[in-house]
Amino acid sequence: MLSIYIFFVIALTEELLMRGFILIKLLANVDRWPALIFSALIFSALHLFNAHIGAVAILNLFLAGLLLGLPVIYTGNIWYSVALHFSWNFFQSLLGFNVSGKDLYSVIIQYQPSLNIWNGGLFGYEASIYCLISQIIAILFFCKIFRACLNFVQ
């Protein structure tokens, strides 16, 4: 129950700040793609001081910022992003991965013979090549579903 609470509070506060405030303010002043990219850069920068961060993790956090921003651009509502962010963090932890460099309670204990770019090492799944590939697929899927990526300007 504590994990559910912690991950919900993290998702809610990060989404209120990043998508509910920063992205929405940017969208009022610039086109959607520059707004989305800039907010994703800020999102990844907020995680720069997390333990065990590296280049792949920063890239994946930037992609996560894009992925979490697309539902807001399409729907104007942050709750899809809050739910996605919560699920992302909660299930990583539940399945035994570190979450953004933090080792939290897990139901499953993983044995990884080596910590590397494929499994994300000590940072967790978010620093893995698998995460990079899955996020690109998810972004393309969201773009198709939301039709948010048809044009680079509104």
Side-chain angles (χ1 to χ4, degrees):
M1 291 306 291
L2 183 60
S3 292
I4 292 170
Y5 174 76
I6 289 169
F7 288 123
F8 179 75
V9 169
I10 290 169
L12 182 62
T13 54
E14 286 188 6
E15 292 310 310
L16 282 172
L17 173 65
M18 296 309 309
R19 265 56 74 180
F21 180 71
I22 291 174
L23 180 58
I24 296 298
K25 290 292 183 188
L26 288 168
L27 286 169
N29 296 298
V30 297
D31 291 329
R32 64 181 163 206
W33 279 103
L36 182 61
I37 290 168
F38 188 69
S39 69
L41 285 170
I42 295 171
F43 180 72
S44 57
L46 288 176
H47 294 81
L48 285 176
F49 297 103
N50 288 20
H52 315 292
I53 195 152
V56 176
I58 293 167
L59 176 59
N60 282 338
L61 287 163
F62 171 75
L63 291 174
L66 296 178
L67 182 62
L68 292 166
L70 286 171
V72 175
I73 287 175
Y74 181 73
T75 67
N77 188 325
I78 68 162
W79 290 108
Y80 298 107
S81 299
V82 170
L84 180 59
H85 195 153
F86 166 78
S87 300
W88 182 264
N89 288 344
F90 179 71
F91 285 106
Q92 280 182 89
S93 176
L94 196 67
L95 295 173
F97 291 99
N98 288 357
V99 179
S100 296
K102 294 170 186 65
D103 186 11
L104 302 164
Y105 172 78
S106 175
V107 173
I108 298 172
I109 306 299
Q110 286 191 20
Y111 170 72
Q112 298 172 341
S114 68
L115 300 173
N116 55 50
I117 200 165
W118 293 101
N119 60 34
L122 291 174
F123 192 80
Y125 179 76
E126 293 168 315
S128 73
I129 295 297
Y130 295 121
C131 179
L132 186 131
I133 293 166
S134 66
Q135 285 192 107
I136 290 171
I137 292 168
I139 288 167
L140 293 173
F141 176 75
F142 274 24
C143 286
K144 181 177 172 79
I145 296 298
F146 292 150
R147 302 191 195 290
C149 299
L150 294 176
N151 299 310
F152 282 92
V153 294
Q154 288 180 329

